[in-house]
Amino acid sequence: MPELPEVEILARHLRPLLVGKRVRMVTVLRAKAVRPLGAERFRELLNGAEIRALGRRAKYLCFDLAMERGLKPRRMLGHLGMTGRMYLQPSGAPQARHASVVIGLGPEDWVFEDSRQFGGLTFEVQRLEGLGPEPLDEGFTEALLRSRLGESSQAIKVRLMDQRVLAGLGNIYASEALHWAGIAPHRPAWGLKRRELARLCDGIRSVLETAIRTGESMLLDFAGSGAGDGLFYYGRGPEAAETSEERFRVYDRAGQPCRECSEPIVKSVLGGRSTYACGRCQR
DNA sequence: CACCATGTTCCTTG
DNA sequence: CCAAGGAACATGGT
C-alpha cells in the first residue's frame, strides 16, 4: 500500500492507536525487515520505548520514541515497500503468514507484515536526508517544482518519481498527475513551459488530495485479511467495491476510454515502469 | 508455465 | 557527469 496518500492515511489511522503506548516486547520474525541492524540489536533499540508521535515524510512513517531511564529519544522509520501493511490486533491473535515484526504493546500487538519484504523498519534516519520537498506543503509551488526538476533531460514522469526531486509520488500518482495536467509522460523535464509546470503542480496536489480524501471516506481494513484486490485501500462494506478502473484517471486503464475525450488509454514503459496516458489529452 | 505488480538500489552500457 | 536499461530483492495474483 505504498504511495504518499496511502502512507498518509495509514499514519492518521495508527496515530491515535499508537501514541502514548509503550513497547513491551519485540519479536522479529524476518531479520530482513530490520536490516541492517539485525533482530537482536533492533530489539534493544526499540524495547521499552514509548511512542510519542507518528508522522510521515515522503513514503516513510516516522515514529518518535521516548526511551526509558533518561536515554535519548529515538526516531524509527517504517517503509512499506510494495506490500507492507501495519495494524494492531489483540495480543495472542493468530499471526499473519507474512508477519515480519510483531511489537507487543500490552493488550495489543502492533504488526508489520510484508509479503514481498521490500519494506522494513529502521533507525537509519539519514534516509530522510536527500528527499525532495513534500508536494502537499504550502511551499510547493511552480517555482519550486521548476527548480527541483532542474535542467534534466529525463522524462518528466521518471523525474517526478525520483524521491530526491519530489517526495511521495510513485508509479500510480505520477501517471495520474500528468494526465490531470495534460502533459505526456515522456516529455523531457527541461522542455516544460511555466504554464505547464503550474498545471502539473496543481495536478500533483489535486490527485494526492483526492486520494487522501478517498481513503478517509472509506472504512478501511488495514490488516487486509479480506481479498487483496489490487487496490491500495483495503476497504470493507458497500463503499469498498470500487475498482482501480473507477478510482484512477489512467493508471491500469490501458484500452479503456479517457474520461476527458474517450480516446483509448495507452500503456508504455518508462524507466522500466508501466506508464499510462491519453495520447490526445496529454501532449 | 508466463507475465505482471504500489518501491528502491545497484550495476552496466552508451 | 548523465541517462537509460536491466537486474535484483520475495511473493502472490491473473
Side-chain angles (χ1 to χ4, degrees), chain A residues 32 51 76 119 132 134 174 190 198 206 240:
Chain A
K32 190 177 180 246
I51 300 130
M76 182 176 78
E134 285 289 327
W190 52 255
S206 174

Side-chain angles (χ1 to χ4, degrees), chain A residues 5 11 18 54 57 61 63 66 68 72 75 95 110-111 115 132 154 183 191 212 245 250 254 265:
Chain A
L18 288 177
L54 201 186
R57 173 77 173 103
L61 293 161
F63 302 92
E68 294 174 307
K72 277 203 293 194
R75 171 171 266 197
Q95 225 47 261
W110 167 21
V111 180
S115 65
Q154 266 187 321
I183 297 168
I212 290 172
E245 196 184 302
V250 290
I265 299 301

Side-chain angles (χ1 to χ4, degrees), chain A residues 247-262:
Chain A
R247 297 247 328 268
F248 300 126
R249 311 168 66 92
V250 290
Y251 181 79
D252 201 25
R253 294 190 65 240
Q256 314 269 347
C258 172
R259 294 194 213 294
E260 302 290 324
C261 74
S262 300

Side-chain angles (χ1 to χ4, degrees), chain A residues 135-136 140-146 149 155-161 165-166 169 173-185 187-208 282:
Chain A
L136 295 181
F140 182 63
T141 59
E142 176 270 327
L144 179 57
L145 179 59
R146 179 157 36 95
L149 291 173
I156 182 63
K157 181 192 175 238
V158 172
R159 204 84 185 120
L160 290 179
M161 289 174 61
V165 171
L166 186 62
L169 282 190
Y173 297 106
S175 279
E176 295 291 288
L178 286 164
H179 181 268
W180 195 103
I183 297 168
R187 293 265 305 277
W190 52 255
L192 297 179
K193 308 294 173 229
R194 291 203 181 192
R195 269 182 47 253
E196 294 178 309
L197 289 173
R199 265 209 323 272
L200 182 52
C201 204
D202 289 345
I204 290 166
R205 261 199 304 263
S206 174
V207 299
L208 294 177
Q282 297 177 253

Side-chain angles (χ1 to χ4, degrees), chain A residues 41-201:
Chain A
R41 188 84 184 99
F42 177 81
R43 193 187 327 164
E44 285 169 18
L45 289 184
L46 182 57
N47 218 350
E50 182 194 325
I51 300 130
R52 281 290 176 78
L54 201 186
R56 178 194 60 75
R57 173 77 173 103
K59 302 172 191 172
Y60 288 94
L61 293 161
C62 307
F63 302 92
D64 287 318
L65 307 174
M67 309 308 294
E68 294 174 307
R69 295 182 293 278
L71 290 174
K72 277 203 293 194
R74 298 200 168 102
R75 171 171 266 197
M76 182 176 78
L77 305 179
H79 199 291
L80 300 171
M82 291 270 233
T83 53
R85 290 176 186 167
M86 213 178 262
Y87 52 90
L88 272 74
Q89 65 179 21
S91 72
Q95 225 47 261
R97 176 170 22 186
H98 295 296
S100 289
V101 183
V102 178
I103 299 163
L105 302 172
E108 308 162 299
D109 287 338
W110 167 21
V111 180
F112 172 55
E113 176 191 332
D114 187 10
S115 65
R116 282 176 78 177
Q117 297 176 205
F118 291 172
L121 303 178
T122 179
F123 288 91
E124 290 184 302
V125 290
Q126 36 334 337
R127 284 170 173 279
L128 301 183
E129 277 167 17
L131 293 168
E134 285 289 327
L136 295 181
D137 279 1
E138 287 293 313
F140 182 63
T141 59
E142 176 270 327
L144 179 57
L145 179 59
R146 179 157 36 95
S147 80
R148 298 304 300 177
L149 291 173
E151 300 302 297
S152 171
S153 63
Q154 266 187 321
I156 182 63
K157 181 192 175 238
V158 172
R159 204 84 185 120
L160 290 179
M161 289 174 61
D162 186 332
Q163 302 299 298
R164 297 166 303 184
V165 171
L166 186 62
L169 282 190
N171 201 37
I172 294 177
Y173 297 106
S175 279
E176 295 291 288
L178 286 164
H179 181 268
W180 195 103
I183 297 168
H186 57 78
R187 293 265 305 277
W190 52 255
L192 297 179
K193 308 294 173 229
R194 291 203 181 192
R195 269 182 47 253
E196 294 178 309
L197 289 173
R199 265 209 323 272
L200 182 52
C201 204

